[in-house]
Amino acid sequence: MSPISYPPGVKPLTQNERKTQSVKKKYKLKIGPGNRGLDFEAGINETNAYYAEKNLCHITKRPTPINVVKVDYSKGSIITQAYFETQSTTDYNGVYKGHYIDFEAKSSHSKTSFPLANIPKQQIDHLEKVIAHGGIAFFLIRLVLTEEVYLLPAQYIIDFYHERKRASIPYEEIRNHGYKVTEKYLPHYDYLPLIDEVFLK
């Protein structure tokens, strides 16, 4: 077999360089702007799966309660009509170190603030009850434009919601009253150390 000829100035990759590029391609997610909220949720789900594998906690995503009205069986049992049975509460709940955990994940595409309109009243009511019964409640808020994630205690958002000083929470308030979540490969959004720091000191 004749050797491969490369253009001037182009060098062949070493075996280690080829392996590195292969690994990067394997784990690089292609996420469009419209799917960033789903990307955030997928990262949290992967984090929870990692925590479960390491037996650190048991936290899962709540299923959305729907009532199926019509199903198209001609195309493999596809739901064509359904409605929500009840209003949703929060995204995630579970147990960590003997404590009940309940939290909501939100993404914000705003340049300056997080709109309170993103939080329906039933979520506020639900989290108030969780706190009243001794549970740990918080929000994970992703600031999409700066690619930052913060854990914000639910009580802070509840108070801000009821006081209604303004219709949105400025990002500076989130940074001052929240706790930045460390992002890495696994766990992707490592929020358990912040639960220890904020709620279990």
Side-chain angles (χ1 to χ4, degrees), residues 104-155:
E104 174 71 12
K106 298 286 188 186
S107 291
S108 177
H109 291 74
S110 167
K111 294 180 179 179
T112 57
S113 60
F114 175 77
L116 288 177
N118 287 357
I119 306 173
K121 186 177 184 301
Q122 72 265 17
Q123 288 184 345
I124 294 293
D125 294 341
H126 171 76
L127 291 170
E128 283 182 317
K129 291 172 184 173
V130 169
I131 294 170
H133 287 280
I136 292 173
F138 57 89
F139 284 79
L140 288 184
I141 297 179
R142 184 178 189 226
L143 312 183
V144 174
L145 299 182
T146 57
E147 296 185 348
E148 297 173 290
V149 176
Y150 287 87
L151 181 151
L152 200 58
Q155 190 62 61

Side-chain angles (χ1 to χ4, degrees), residues 150-168:
Y150 287 87
L151 181 151
L152 200 58
Q155 190 62 61
Y156 174 80
I157 290 186
I158 290 168
D159 292 342
F160 200 101
Y161 184 93
H162 288 311
E163 290 170 6
R164 291 286 180 178
K165 293 177 181 177
R166 49 180 294 164
S168 61

Side-chain angles (χ1 to χ4, degrees), residues 15-171:
Q15 186 173 358
N16 284 340
E17 287 172 333
R18 285 196 299 272
K19 284 183 180 178
T20 301
Q21 284 199 355
S22 175
V23 169
K24 285 180 179 178
K25 286 179 182 178
K26 182 177 179 182
Y27 291 104
K28 187 175 181 180
L29 297 175
K30 293 182 180 179
I31 304 295
N35 290 328
R36 284 170 182 158
L38 295 176
D39 176 35
F40 184 37
E41 182 179 295
I44 295 172
N45 293 342
E46 288 174 1
T47 297
N48 290 338
Y50 174 86
Y51 287 158
E53 182 184 339
K54 300 299 181 183
N55 200 30
L56 297 174
C57 64
H58 178 68
I59 296 176
T60 58
K61 189 177 189 315
R62 278 191 175 94
T64 303
I66 63 169
N67 193 335
V68 177
V69 177
K70 288 184 181 179
V71 179
D72 184 352
Y73 292 104
S74 67
K75 298 180 180 179
S77 301
I78 297 174
I79 297 173
T80 58
Q81 187 176 344
Y83 63 87
F84 295 114
E85 288 183 340
T86 57
Q87 292 179 319
S88 61
T89 52
T90 50
D91 289 330
Y92 297 91
N93 71 328
V95 181
Y96 173 56
K97 292 184 177 179
H99 298 271
Y100 176 74
I101 304 294
D102 202 302
F103 70 92
E104 174 71 12
K106 298 286 188 186
S107 291
S108 177
H109 291 74
S110 167
K111 294 180 179 179
T112 57
S113 60
F114 175 77
L116 288 177
N118 287 357
I119 306 173
K121 186 177 184 301
Q122 72 265 17
Q123 288 184 345
I124 294 293
D125 294 341
H126 171 76
L127 291 170
E128 283 182 317
K129 291 172 184 173
V130 169
I131 294 170
H133 287 280
I136 292 173
F138 57 89
F139 284 79
L140 288 184
I141 297 179
R142 184 178 189 226
L143 312 183
V144 174
L145 299 182
T146 57
E147 296 185 348
E148 297 173 290
V149 176
Y150 287 87
L151 181 151
L152 200 58
Q155 190 62 61
Y156 174 80
I157 290 186
I158 290 168
D159 292 342
F160 200 101
Y161 184 93
H162 288 311
E163 290 170 6
R164 291 286 180 178
K165 293 177 181 177
R166 49 180 294 164
S168 61
I169 304 176
Y171 283 168

